[in-house]
Amino acid sequence: MIRPDIVARRIGAEGQPIAIVDGFHSDPDALRAAAAGAVFEPGRHHYPGIRATLPIDYFALVRPALVPVLREVFGHAGGIELLDASFSIVTTPPAELTVVQRLPHVDAVQPGRIALVHYLAPEGGDGTAFFRHRATGFEAIDAARSPDYLASLNAEVGAEAPPQAYPFGDTPLFERIAHVEARYNRAVIYRSALLHSGAIAPDAPLDADPSTGRLTVTAFLSTV
């Protein structure tokens, strides 16, 4: 068995840790085959695409890579609770994005929350970008920062709506501070409080077919 290749980075002025893991799953081709036979439905929680149920053994097979990352990169040596996980494909055309979908976002402000994106398109495709909010300088939004951040962002968006596009590079409101390139069977793991977005290129095809679209696994964990 090929051992996962784990690289840790610190990004931005705040030095937040992220982990990039190549060879994350022992059989990515089997995962793609499972996705090809899965039933996809519209995503929830502002996800701009479709989602489907994962094979039941997914986390057992990625545990050898995930556990050391949580321990050594994020300092979590205790238990792990799975909050949500699914196959995911971005499909929403830029012209149909809501205002929320046109902005970088955080997945949770609670401590101990971890997000994971596992890229499963063989050609790579679009990865994940991380951002700094220009007005506040924030790169991560916890519960203490959230009121000031939302007040500032709501005022900015109320004055001028963001462009009808996915957040890809720098924008008037946000500076891109890091970009993780998508590669087949690579995962990026980061704290859910980091401002981020799928780095969806303006000319991305946004194909709903799991064999040709931007197939990923997205997961959200809570650590103890």
Side-chain angles (χ1 to χ4, degrees):
M1 174 185 280
I2 299 175
R3 296 187 62 183
D5 180 16
I6 301 172
V7 175
R9 292 173 52 189
R10 288 190 176 271
I11 62 171
E14 295 180 2
Q16 290 282 349
I18 65 172
I20 302 167
V21 186
D22 287 305
F24 188 62
H25 192 280
S26 59
D27 194 350
D29 292 345
L31 266 185
R32 285 179 55 79
V39 176
F40 282 80
E41 299 178 345
R44 298 173 292 115
H45 308 303
H46 303 292
Y47 183 76
I50 54 178
R51 287 180 163 164
T53 302
L54 289 173
I56 59 173
D57 63 351
Y58 176 81
F59 278 95
L61 293 175
V62 301
R63 185 177 178 83
L66 183 59
V67 169
V69 165
L70 296 179
R71 181 180 63 245
E72 297 168 20
V73 179
F74 298 100
H76 298 297
I80 306 169
E81 178 186 0
L82 175 63
L83 302 177
D84 187 38
S86 60
F87 287 122
S88 303
I89 306 175
V90 173
T91 59
T92 303
E96 298 178 13
L97 294 173
T98 66
V99 170
V100 171
Q101 292 169 335
R102 288 180 260 155
L103 296 166
H105 65 279
V106 301
D107 298 315
V109 299
Q110 298 92 333
R113 295 290 185 90
I114 299 292
L116 178 159
V117 181
H118 181 192
Y119 308 110
L120 290 169
E123 66 279 6
D126 296 313
T128 301
F130 298 88
F131 295 87
R132 174 187 302 117
H133 181 230
R134 296 182 188 274
T136 61
F138 296 158
E139 300 169 357
I141 310 299
D142 59 12
R145 287 180 169 183
S146 183
D148 289 342
Y149 169 72
L150 291 176
S152 177
L153 182 63
N154 288 337
E156 291 171 321
V157 171
E160 183 175 357
Q164 197 75 39
Y166 286 95
F168 183 74
D170 291 348
T171 75
L173 303 185
F174 294 89
E175 177 186 359
R176 191 170 84 172
I177 59 173
H179 174 245
V180 176
E181 179 184 354
R183 292 183 184 174
Y184 187 46
N185 202 27
R186 164 180 282 182
V188 59
I189 304 165
Y190 51 94
R191 290 189 174 124
S192 295
L194 270 62
L195 283 163
H196 68 280
S197 174
I200 311 301
D203 58 352
L206 305 179
D207 192 340
D209 186 338
S211 65
T212 52
R214 185 186 182 265
L215 179 65
T216 64
V217 171
T218 56
F220 304 100
L221 312 169
S222 180
T223 58
V224 179

